[in-house]
């Protein structure tokens, strides 16, 4: 089923523009408005706080989802790592809604939180790529990601699908609350799909970046601020899980509080700079690491690109920039793993779905 692709991961990266189109189609009604089940709408309207529960890449999508829900829909939102939540439950609000984000719908750490919160009588919504999965069956509501089967252990198209559906949910909730928005998510997701396609056509450039920055390195850092920080966390996870390069994502402003001590001559630092309001600050963080010898690779959208940046990505709505800026992360990780002769689709010590706690 890989067709002409050498790996599922590459195929799944390439499928992202189609997944965006599929999501638009599935979540659009005949008047071009958002189509969502009424009970999901009501659950969103009835809650006073959303608790997103997830693991790994899905947790990283949750971090972006919190920004969408708070900035677009003004719904207070917390994001929790599933395996931590069970043992360290925070003080809950009066009317919580639990949102479980899981590609597979089978992750045991999430299921144990679901069982626990159901016992407390709280409603649950699962966002999954597998509607018949355990989490979907045991939740009150399901939102389907429509990404198609994801085979590679490294999650790619499910992550962008999760963010797309979270954006749609946030906009729908905002509209139901009567908030006026300049933001048509379905139209914007169409633009995102085109941007993804343009990036998928530039694979040789990411291959080259992986050669230039990562072919011999032992470690690599990802920096960003705000949404870019969260995408950096995902970039680091992608890189470490398939290339075994030790990689970490950091908030640009935290560097000076300790992390900068790790920068040596030639240390690769991948910096994401897609958010205009923090552009000056992330640029000075880049200068700080370069001054200590880092090999900085800045990725910025066309309208913010400066001389010396390594790669320019198409400009999309700034809140949706993560859906586009993660593609370079995925492709650079893919080529880094390939250059190091790693088993891209089945990295060591990992399973596609983690069904034990
Ligand atoms: O199926 P899920 O989304 O619940 O899986 C959660 C994580 O195990 C998963 O995202 C994992 O981190 C991936 N291998 C990352 O690429």
């Amino acid at each position: 089923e890989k067709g002409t692709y050498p790996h599922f991961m590459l195929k799944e990266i390439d499928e992202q523009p189609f997944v965006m189109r599929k999501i638009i189609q599935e979540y659009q009604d005949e008047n071009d408005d958002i189509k969502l089940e009424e009970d999901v709408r009501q659950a969103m309207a009835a809650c006073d706080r959303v608790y997103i529960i997830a693991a790994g890449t899905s947790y990283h999508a949750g971090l972006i989802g919190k920004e969408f829900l708070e900035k677009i829909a003004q719904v207070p939102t917390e994001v929790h790592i599933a395996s931590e939540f069970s043992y360290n439950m925070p003080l809950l609000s009066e009317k919580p809604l639990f949102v479980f984000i899981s590609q597979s719908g089978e992750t045991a750490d999430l299921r144990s939180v679901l069982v626990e919160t159901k016992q407390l009588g709280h409603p649950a919504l699962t966002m999954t790529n597998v509607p018949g999965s355990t989490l979907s069956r045991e939740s009150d509501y399901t939102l389907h990601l429509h990404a198609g089967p994801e085979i590679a252990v490294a999650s790619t198209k499910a992550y962008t699908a999760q963010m797309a559906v979270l954006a749609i949910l946030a906009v729908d909730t905002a509209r139901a609350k009567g908030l006026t928005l300049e933001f048509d998510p379905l139209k914007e997701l169409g633009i995102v799909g085109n941007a993804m396609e343009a990036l998928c056509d530039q694979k040789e450039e990411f291959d080259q970046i992986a050669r230039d920055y990562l072919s011999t390195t032992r470690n690599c850092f990802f920096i960003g601020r705000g949404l870019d920080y969260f995408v950096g966390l995902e970039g680091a996870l992608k890189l470490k899980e398939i290339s075994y390069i030790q990689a970490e994502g950091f908030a640009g402003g935290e560097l000076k509080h300790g992390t900068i001590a790790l920068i040596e001559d030639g240390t690769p630092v991948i910096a994401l700079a897609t958010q205009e309001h923090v552009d000056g600050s992330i640029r000075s963080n880049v200068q700080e690491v370069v001054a200590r010898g880092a090999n900085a690779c800045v990725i910025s959208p066309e309208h913010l690109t400066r001389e010396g940046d390594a790669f320019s990505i198409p400009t999309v709505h700034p809140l949706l920039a993560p859906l586009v800026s993660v593609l370079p992360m995925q492709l650079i990780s893919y080529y880094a793993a390939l250059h190091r002769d790693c088993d891209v689709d089945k990295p060591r010590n990992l399973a596609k779905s983690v069904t034990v706690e």
Side-chain angles (χ1 to χ4, degrees), residues 29-349:
D29 70 12
E30 52 290 347
N31 304 317
D32 293 350
D33 276 335
I34 296 175
K35 184 169 78 187
L36 214 58
E37 281 178 28
E38 204 43 48
D39 54 357
V40 172
R41 225 166 241 166
Q42 279 169 12
M44 286 300 295
C47 76
D48 63 358
R49 185 172 284 259
V50 164
Y51 292 78
I52 294 178
I53 310 290
T57 289
S58 300
Y59 170 73
H60 295 153
L63 294 172
I64 307 280
K66 170 186 160 77
E67 299 298 308
F68 291 167
L69 288 169
E70 294 197 334
K71 298 224 159 70
I72 301 172
Q74 296 174 15
V75 177
T77 304
E78 294 179 19
V79 197
H80 293 273
I81 294 174
S83 58
E84 283 295 305
F85 189 93
S86 308
Y87 303 102
N88 194 10
M89 200 186 287
L91 191 61
L92 299 180
S93 65
E94 300 246 309
K95 288 184 279 174
L97 172 65
F98 281 84
V99 174
F100 296 87
I101 306 181
S102 176
Q103 188 285 131
S104 63
E106 300 296 342
T107 303
D109 290 330
L110 275 71
R111 176 149 193 268
S112 83
V113 179
L114 174 62
V115 169
E116 215 171 331
T117 53
K118 289 252 88 178
Q119 271 163 7
L120 295 172
H122 301 312
L125 161 65
T126 286
M127 268 185 199
T128 183
N129 207 21
V130 188
S133 59
T134 309
L135 287 169
S136 165
R137 281 186 278 109
E138 295 181 1
S139 294
D140 303 288
Y141 323 102
T142 296
L143 285 178
H144 189 355
L145 297 174
H146 294 289
E150 193 182 64
I151 311 293
V153 165
S155 182
T156 53
K157 60 177 180 170
Y159 172 74
T160 42
Q162 286 161 347
M163 294 190 289
V165 175
L166 282 160
I168 291 172
L169 181 66
V171 171
D172 190 74
T173 306
R175 286 187 183 150
K177 282 171 108 171
L179 300 173
T180 42
L181 298 165
E182 294 300 304
F183 183 77
D184 176 350
L186 301 173
K187 189 174 138 256
E188 299 295 337
L189 287 173
I191 299 172
V192 164
N194 296 341
M196 288 171 160
E197 204 160 347
L199 292 174
C200 289
D201 287 341
Q202 295 173 80
K203 295 200 182 66
E204 320 75 54
E205 303 206 31
F206 298 114
D207 188 350
Q208 195 55 49
I209 291 177
R211 280 178 210 282
D212 293 346
Y213 291 86
L214 302 171
S215 53
T216 56
T217 192
R218 280 186 305 119
N219 56 6
C220 175
F221 301 114
F222 292 76
I223 61 169
R225 287 176 177 248
L227 291 171
D228 290 336
Y229 164 45
F230 301 142
V231 179
L233 295 177
E234 173 58 10
L237 176 59
K238 222 75 304 167
L239 186 64
K240 63 186 141 190
E241 106 181 288
I242 61 169
S243 75
Y244 317 137
I245 295 171
Q246 193 197 350
E248 301 299 334
F250 294 106
E254 271 295 286
L255 284 170
K256 58 183 174 298
H257 297 287
T259 307
I260 202 156
L262 294 169
I263 304 295
E264 291 173 325
D265 222 15
T267 305
V269 174
I270 299 180
L272 284 162
T274 73
Q275 304 293 309
E276 198 157 1
H277 64 294
V278 288
D279 194 50
S281 340
I282 192 65
R283 298 281 176 178
S284 35
N285 298 141
V286 171
Q287 282 169 5
E288 285 156 16
V289 293
V290 168
R292 276 126 187 127
N295 192 12
C297 170
V298 180
I299 296 177
S300 52
E302 274 149 10
H303 71 294
L304 296 176
T305 299
R306 297 193 193 176
E307 207 186 319
D309 287 359
F311 195 86
S312 183
I313 58 176
T315 295
V316 296
H317 189 287
L319 277 175
L320 298 180
L323 285 87
V324 176
S325 63
V326 77
L327 267 78
M329 309 292 103
Q330 298 168 345
L331 285 161
I332 292 169
S333 302
Y334 172 80
Y335 287 109
L338 210 61
H339 299 157
R340 289 173 172 243
D341 282 332
C342 298
D343 187 344
V344 173
D345 282 341
K346 286 203 175 72
R348 69 186 182 208
N349 309 340

